């Protein structure tokens, strides 16, 4: 059966207990920021295209307090880290960058401190706890970045610009985690809306909420529980191939290219470049169509676009893997399933499936029967972006 999504209050209680045990006294501030699942629009964000993610009820929590001086101490409650669970560093007073290092989870904290938009950041101590599976393709890292940023806003407020906040968190990922990600994950973790998916234009950074709260519909996330080592190296390669394709077509980005542009240039492009560009150009169009279909309640059409997206990611963009393909095929065998696809960067992680509520048990069972690995399931609803919580 599906894992129940843990209550935010229970993870707050866990973080708070660890804080009180470690530092003594009550924390001043509690915040949380969600992970995300992307419904459609994969590998389009760094091509200035459209994406359609939603924020999850799975969150990263930060509890903590400001301290005098310029020392920062952070502890993670995560049980499955094989590095030190505690880090202390000194805030440089000359604006010098905080260098990334060990433990690696602390680089997200350092990156956000460095890119925070109202310097200087004061000293603080904090505990981090999360219900977003680490490295599972549901943006555990973006949720950590956005939670840390939201925490800093309570200690030393910036101007409150939410889009600039998402961009600062994306910068943290680039400079301190070394991942040249697009804007999708941080954007939806900041601006997610309860009961809505967000159609994000990654060029203008404008978002249109699309209602998604039909009780007859279920959004099922299936974690393959595999992560292939290709994830790290293949992402920057894909990004570079897209830039090369855009420049071969004489465009600023693939957002500006049409399929006609691509077909006209076909004999000037090698086959791999052609396939990468074709995925992106068609996926941007599919995402716009999918948002319209969702608005109309045309779930059949939405599901069809999801499956097309998966096939394109598998065959043209080559970021799927055997496990994700198995999960999608198994889900699609069940009556009442509208569509299913891999979600996130690829090479492992999760699939997202849209189905009729009555088909949920059958779908989970079928996936369990067919999948060669051990899946984890989450039945989710679109949730609110980052927020400050009350200390009871
Ligand atoms: C990762 C990145 C995102 C996006 C997706 C693919 O999740 O962080 O910016 O590029 O991959 O759609």
């Amino acid at each position: 059966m599906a894992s129940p999504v843990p209550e935010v209050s229970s993870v707050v209680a866990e973080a708070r207990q660890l804080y009180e045990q470690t530092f003594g006294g009550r924390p001043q501030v509690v915040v949380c920021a969600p992970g995300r699942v992307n419904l459609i629009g994969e590998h389009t964000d760094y091509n200035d295209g459209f994406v359609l993610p939603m924020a999850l009820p799975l969150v990263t929590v930060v509890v903590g307090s400001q301290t005098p001086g310029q020392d920062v101490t952070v502890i993670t409650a995560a049980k499955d880290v094989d590095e030190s669970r505690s880090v202390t560093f000194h805030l440089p007073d000359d604006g010098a960058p905080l260098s990334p290092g060990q433990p690696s989870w602390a680089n997200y904290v350092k990156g956000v401190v460095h890119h925070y938009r109202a310097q200087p950041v004061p000293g603080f101590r904090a505990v981090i706890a999360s219900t977003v599976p680490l490295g599972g393709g549901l943006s555990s890292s973006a949720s950590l970045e956005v939670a840390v940023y939201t925490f800093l806003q309570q200690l030393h407020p910036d101007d409150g610009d939410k889009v600039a906040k998402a961009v600062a968190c994306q910068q943290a990922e680039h400079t301190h985690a070394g991942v040249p990600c697009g804007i999708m994950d941080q954007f939806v973790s900041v601006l997610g809306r309860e009961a809505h998916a967000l159609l994000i234009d990654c060029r203008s950074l404008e978002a249109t909420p699309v209602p998604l709260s039909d009780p007859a519909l279920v959004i099922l996330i299936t974690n393959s529980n595999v992560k292939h080592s290709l994830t790290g190296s293949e992402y920057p390669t894909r990004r570079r191939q897209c830039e090369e394709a855009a420049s071969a077509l004489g465009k600023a980005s693939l957002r500006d290219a049409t399929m006609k542009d691509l077909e006209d240039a076909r004999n000037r492009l090698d086959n791999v470049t052609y396939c990468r560009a074709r995925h992106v150009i068609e996926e941007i169009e599919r995402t716009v169509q999918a948002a319209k279909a969702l608005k109309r309640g045309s779930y059949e059409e939405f599901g069809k676009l999801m499956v097309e997206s998966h096939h394109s990611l598998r065959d043209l963009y080559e970021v799927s893997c055997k496990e994700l393909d198995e999960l999608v095929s198994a889900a699609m065998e069940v009556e009442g399933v509208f569509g299913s696809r891999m979600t996130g960067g690829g090479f492992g992680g999760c699939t997202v499936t849209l189905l009729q509520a009555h088909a949920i048990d059958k779908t989970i069972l079928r996936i369990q029967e067919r999948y060669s690995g051990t899946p984890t399931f989450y039945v989710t609803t679109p949730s609110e972006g980052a927020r400050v919580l009350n200390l009871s």
Side-chain angles (χ1 to χ4, degrees), residues 36 38 41-46 181-185 235 344-345:
R36 64 95 188 94
N38 189 20
E42 217 65 83
H43 290 276
T44 49
D45 60 352
Y46 53 83
C181 63
I183 189 66
M184 165 168 70
D185 307 346
Y235 189 90

Side-chain angles (χ1 to χ4, degrees), residues 196-379:
H196 291 78
L198 282 191
L199 178 67
I200 307 169
D201 178 338
C202 299
R203 169 168 277 174
S204 67
L205 298 182
E206 279 162 355
T208 313
V210 184
L212 180 54
S213 60
D214 185 339
L217 200 66
V218 160
I219 299 149
L220 172 70
I221 294 175
T222 308
N223 192 343
S224 66
N225 288 313
V226 297
K227 189 181 178 197
H228 294 292
S229 54
L230 287 173
T231 325
S233 57
E234 291 293 306
Y235 189 90
T237 306
R238 293 295 179 287
R239 212 182 153 143
R240 202 194 56 241
Q241 288 166 335
C242 289
E243 283 158 11
E244 284 167 8
S247 99
L249 298 179
K251 307 288 181 188
S253 72
L254 287 176
R255 166 75 177 270
D256 297 319
T258 61
M259 274 308 292
K260 177 164 187 322
D261 295 327
L262 185 64
E263 293 303 339
D264 288 349
R266 185 162 189 170
N267 54 10
R268 289 192 282 115
L269 302 173
D270 64 78
N271 191 46
V272 169
T273 310
Y274 169 83
C275 289
R276 304 297 190 246
R278 180 165 162 199
H279 164 75
V280 172
I281 295 169
E282 292 181 339
E283 182 80 354
I284 292 173
E285 180 55 25
R286 268 193 290 272
T287 305
V288 173
Q289 293 310 323
K292 287 185 187 154
L294 195 57
K295 252 184 233 161
R296 284 197 305 271
S298 304
Y299 305 138
E300 300 272 352
E301 189 188 339
F302 192 93
K304 200 169 140 273
L305 292 163
M306 288 175 85
V307 174
E308 282 174 23
S309 166
H310 183 76
H311 291 162
S312 177
L313 289 157
R314 183 190 63 193
D315 302 334
L316 299 175
Y317 217 64
E318 296 182 283
V319 291
S320 186
C321 58
K322 148 180 155 304
E323 293 86 352
L324 293 171
D325 296 344
E326 273 179 18
L327 291 174
V328 168
S329 305
M332 292 312 299
E333 286 175 13
V334 182
E335 204 191 312
V337 170
F338 292 115
S340 184
R341 57 184 288 280
M342 56 155 277
T343 184
F347 302 108
C350 295
T351 61
V352 58
T353 304
L354 194 76
L355 65 149
Q356 287 172 6
H358 68 77
I360 184 68
D361 291 346
K362 251 196 300 177
T363 307
I364 289 180
L365 215 64
R366 179 64 59 90
I367 295 175
Q368 279 170 331
E369 278 164 17
R370 288 270 196 269
Y371 182 46
S372 54
T374 310
T376 314
F377 300 96
Y378 299 96
V379 171

